[in-house]
C-alpha cells in the first residue's frame, strides 16, 4: 500500500448490499480509503460531510436515481470524479451519464478485478482528464460534443462513443474504433497542439445503413504534400520513405495513421483546409 493510494477516498454507492460490500473490500485491499452509501440521499450527505476523490455510483438506486445524484454531486465545491455502474446500458442512459460529466461508465456485471482497475486508471489521470466536455446534442442518432484538446479527454470521448456501438459486429466496431481514435488523436495533438484551452468539435451520426463521424479541430489545417513524415506520402516503389524522414526529424516511429484509417473505413473526406475530417462506415 502506498501513501498516495491510502490517502485517496472512494465512495461506493449501490443499493445492492452484497455488491457494495464486495467492491468496498476489494478497494480496501488495493489500499483505498472507502465509504459506503445505499441510496442517493445518504451518498449526498456523506459528500457534504467529507469530500471524496472518486464516487462509484449505481444508476438504478431507489427513490433518487444515480443520474440525479450525479447532477447534485457536480454542484459540490469539490466535486468527485464519478464512475457510473449499471446494467442499463441503453444509449439514452449512457448519454445522460456523459451529459452529467461522468468520468467513466462500467457495465454490470463486471469481473471483480475490473472495478479496481477502473478506479486505479481514473485516480491516475491528470486534472486535465477531468475537464468538462460540452454536450451539444445527446440523441443516440446524433451525438455532438465540444471537448478540450487533451489526449486524456480524447480517450474518455473515444471510450464513451464506442460504448454506444456495442450492438455492431465486433469487426466493424473495432475498425471504426481504431479509425476514430487515430483521427481524434491527430486533431487534438496536431490541430489543437495539446492545448486544453482550445477545443475540438465531434459529431457522431448513426443511421440504419451508415456511421458518420465528423471531427473539426482549431488548427490551420495541413498540406498533404508536406507530410513526408507520414506513410500516406510514400510512393509505391518506396513504402518506407516516411520512416527515414521521421528518423532525420527525430520523430518517434509511426506515421501510419492516415494510411491505416483509410483501410479501416469506407470513406475519409477532408475539407479544403484539412482541419475538418469525416469518416464513413457503411453497414450494408
Amino acid at each position: 500500500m502506498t501513501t498516495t493510494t491510502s490517502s485517496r477516498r472512494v465512495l461506493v454507492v449501490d443499493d445492492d448490499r452484497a455488491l457494495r460490500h464486495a467492491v468496498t473490500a476489494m478497494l480496501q485491499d488495493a489500499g483505498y480509503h472507502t465509504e459506503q452509501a445505499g441510496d442517493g440521499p445518504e451518498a449526498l450527505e456523506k459528500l457534504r460531510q467529507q469530500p471524496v476523490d472518486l464516487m462509484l455510483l449505481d444508476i438504478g438506486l431507489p427513490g433518487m436515481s444515480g443520474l440525479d445524484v450525479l447532477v447534485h454531486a457536480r454542484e459540490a465545491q469539490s466535486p468527485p470524479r464519478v464512475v457510473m455502474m449499471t446494467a442499463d446500458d441503453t444509449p439514452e442512459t449512457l448519454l445522460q451519464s456523459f451529459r452529467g460529466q461522468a468520468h467513466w461508465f462500467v457495465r454490470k456485471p463486471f469481473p471483480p478485478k475490473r472495478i479496481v482497475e477502473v478506479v486505479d486508471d481514473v485516480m491516475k489521470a491528470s486534472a486535465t482528464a477531468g475537464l468538462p466536455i460540452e454536450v451539444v446534442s445527446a440523441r443516440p442518432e446524433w451525438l455532438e460534443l465540444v471537448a478540450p484538446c487533451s489526449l486524456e479527454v480524447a480517450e474518455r470521448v473515444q471510450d464513451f462513443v464506442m460504448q454506444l456501438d456495442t450492438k455492431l459486429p465486433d469487426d466493424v466496431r473495432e475498425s471504426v474504433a481504431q479509425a476514430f481514435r487515430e483521427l481524434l488523436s491527430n486533431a487534438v495533438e496536431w490541430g489543437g497542439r495539446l492545448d486544453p484551452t482550445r477545443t475540438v468539435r465531434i459529431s457522431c451520426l448513426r443511421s440504419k445503413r451508415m456511421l458518420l463521424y465528423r471531427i473539426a479541430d482549431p488548427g490551420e489545417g495541413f498540406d498533404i504534400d508536406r507530410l513526408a513524415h507520414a506513410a500516406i506520402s510514400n510512393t509505391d516503389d518506396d513504402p518506407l520513405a516516411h520512416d527515414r524522414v521521421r528518423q532525420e526529424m527525430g520523430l518517434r516511429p509511426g506515421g501510419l495513421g492516415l494510411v491505416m484509417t483509410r483501410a479501416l473505413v469506407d470513406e475519409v473526406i477532408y475539407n479544403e483546409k484539412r482541419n475538418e475530417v469525416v469518416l464513413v462506415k457503411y453497414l450494408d
Side-chain angles (χ1 to χ4, degrees):
M1 180 189 303
T2 65
T3 302
T4 301
T5 301
S6 62
S7 65
R8 299 286 193 167
R9 303 179 64 85
V10 181
L11 174 59
V12 182
V13 186
D14 201 305
D15 61 319
D16 184 331
R17 186 175 182 275
L19 177 61
R20 191 172 71 244
H21 282 284
V23 169
T24 297
M26 286 187 290
L27 291 173
Q28 288 176 341
D29 288 343
Y32 292 102
H33 183 88
T34 61
E35 297 286 346
Q36 298 183 41
D39 56 36
E42 183 182 4
L44 294 175
E45 179 59 30
K46 286 186 178 291
L47 288 178
R48 282 191 288 268
Q49 292 174 0
Q50 185 169 13
V52 299
D53 299 287
L54 185 148
M55 179 165 58
L56 291 172
L57 178 59
D58 181 38
I59 290 181
L61 296 173
M64 175 184 284
S65 78
L67 293 170
D68 291 331
V69 176
L70 175 63
V71 171
H72 289 293
R74 293 297 303 174
E75 296 171 350
Q77 186 173 0
S78 299
R81 293 183 179 181
V82 180
V83 174
M84 307 301 290
M85 305 183 297
T86 185
D88 178 8
D89 60 355
T90 60
E92 289 78 12
T93 298
L94 283 166
L95 290 166
Q96 288 183 66
S97 299
F98 203 67
R99 172 160 268 169
Q101 302 298 319
H103 195 96
W104 216 262
F105 191 98
V106 179
R107 287 180 171 84
K108 294 180 178 180
F110 44 76
K113 292 184 179 180
R114 172 59 178 157
I115 200 65
V116 177
E117 293 171 352
V118 169
V119 170
D120 286 343
D121 288 343
V122 175
M123 289 292 200
K124 291 175 184 175
S126 70
T128 303
L131 290 174
I133 298 168
E134 179 186 356
V135 181
V136 179
S137 174
R139 298 182 63 185
E141 64 273 21
W142 191 310
L143 173 66
E144 191 160 351
L145 311 170
V146 178
C149 288
S150 155
L151 289 177
E152 288 180 300
V153 173
E155 182 181 352
R156 283 178 57 202
V157 169
Q158 192 271 336
D159 179 78
F160 169 73
V161 168
M162 289 305 112
Q163 290 201 57
L164 293 174
D165 294 327
T166 53
K167 294 183 180 180
L168 293 174
D170 289 343
D171 58 336
V172 173
R173 183 170 180 268
E174 182 58 29
S175 63
V176 171
Q178 290 185 42
F180 180 72
R181 181 186 301 113
E182 182 65 32
L183 293 180
L184 181 56
S185 297
N186 282 348
V188 166
E189 184 173 7
W190 299 105
R193 302 297 180 185
L194 297 178
D195 179 355
T197 65
R198 308 175 80 185
T199 58
V200 59
R201 193 176 189 96
I202 305 146
S203 301
C204 308
L205 281 65
R206 295 166 176 79
S207 71
K208 293 180 180 180
R209 297 182 176 84
M210 178 186 73
L211 299 176
L212 185 150
Y213 299 83
R214 174 177 175 267
I215 302 170
D217 68 57
E220 298 178 355
F222 63 90
D223 184 346
I224 194 71
D225 295 327
R226 296 184 179 181
L227 293 183
H229 61 284
I232 197 171
S233 298
N234 295 342
T235 58
D236 292 339
D237 60 347
D238 194 359
L240 297 178
H242 78 286
D243 190 54
R244 294 194 299 273
V245 174
R246 294 182 76 87
Q247 292 182 40
E248 293 170 0
M249 297 174 66
L251 298 175
R252 59 177 172 77
L256 300 173
L258 294 179
V259 169
M260 178 187 72
T261 298
R262 288 185 172 179
L264 291 170
V265 296
D266 295 301
E267 295 189 55
V268 179
I269 307 168
Y270 281 93
N271 69 342
E272 184 176 3
K273 291 177 63 177
R274 293 184 181 270
N275 60 359
E276 296 186 30
V277 62
V278 171
L279 66 85
V280 180
K281 184 72 174 181
Y282 297 109
L283 302 179
D284 286 341

